[in-house]
Amino acid sequence: MLTFEQKLDVLQSYPQLQRKNVSLGRVNFHFEESTVEKKIVAFHIHPNGNGFVYAGLLDEYETDDKGFVNIRDYSEEQLRTLLDATMKAMSSQPKPVNEVVETNTPSVIPFSSGSSAGGQWMNDEGHTLILKYEDDMWCLYAGNNLDMAFESRREADDYLREEGFKPSAKA
């Protein structure tokens, strides 16, 4: 398993990737030369060693519902193989004309505490995130910066709890 710094070194060795720092010390890498709508190649590379790389265009990888593979336990060789294949696929795909995606997931799922308004979330280190429902999405903000967007309240709630956040009394 590569450390956070080693993963960053591998990702930064690709000049076509642009580093974007996000909240809580996490880092994303964007591939602006992508010919598909997706631009994020590496998502939430975290100091704890966790992180994700987009593999939604590759048949040989098992991905989550958004097309990402968890790279927590990847070696440098495995990570480079995945990055090379992903960027090649993202460079050779034609741009979609009008893609329609249907989902059975309701856009609003009531929150377990009875609140469906979102609100302020805080972790044990004092970091604060704000969850708001905007444009049919649950948007998670770190200060004024959009950190993530979720299709459902449950997805946002699960993510925040996995990251160690709890609803704050200051909503």
Side-chain angles (χ1 to χ4, degrees):
M1 177 173 115
L2 298 172
T3 66
F4 174 66
E5 291 78 17
Q6 290 169 322
K7 286 177 181 147
L8 290 180
D9 287 344
V10 170
L11 288 157
Q12 290 175 143
S13 73
Y14 288 84
Q16 59 271 52
L17 295 179
Q18 293 181 340
R19 178 181 173 148
K20 306 277 184 176
N21 294 329
V22 291
S23 68
L24 305 175
R26 295 172 299 189
V27 180
N28 291 348
F29 284 85
H30 294 228
F31 180 47
E32 298 300 331
E33 298 167 25
S34 175
T35 59
V36 295
E37 188 174 330
K38 178 69 78 182
K39 301 285 185 209
I40 297 176
V41 169
F43 178 69
H44 280 185
I45 307 302
H46 195 281
N48 71 7
N50 210 18
F52 302 89
V53 170
Y54 184 69
L57 302 173
L58 307 174
D59 294 330
E60 61 269 26
Y61 290 91
E62 191 171 323
T63 65
D64 65 14
D65 60 340
K66 294 180 182 175
F68 286 92
V69 172
N70 189 313
I71 60 163
R72 180 180 191 88
D73 297 321
Y74 270 42
S75 68
E76 181 176 349
E77 181 181 340
Q78 291 171 313
L79 180 55
R80 287 187 182 281
T81 299
L82 174 56
L83 288 168
D84 292 341
T86 291
M87 288 189 294
K88 181 178 179 182
M90 292 173 79
S91 298
S92 61
Q93 297 289 322
K95 291 190 183 262
V97 179
N98 281 327
E99 186 176 325
V100 176
V101 177
E102 291 187 25
T103 179
N104 291 331
T105 306
S107 59
V108 179
I109 295 175
F111 175 51
S112 57
S113 73
S115 168
S116 62
Q120 182 171 313
W121 290 69
M122 187 175 290
N123 69 5
D124 293 337
E125 298 172 4
H127 293 108
T128 302
L129 297 175
I130 304 295
L131 184 62
K132 295 180 182 177
Y133 186 69
E134 301 174 330
D135 300 322
D136 295 324
M137 298 290 288
W138 287 96
C139 299
L140 188 59
Y141 290 90
N144 291 328
N145 298 322
L146 177 64
D147 187 45
M148 293 189 71
F150 303 92
E151 292 180 3
S152 73
R153 176 59 195 257
R154 175 159 295 143
E155 185 182 10
D157 179 51
D158 289 347
Y159 171 79
L160 284 160
R161 291 186 189 280
E162 285 171 13
E163 292 292 320
F165 284 84
K166 296 176 185 153
S168 173
K170 302 179 203 170

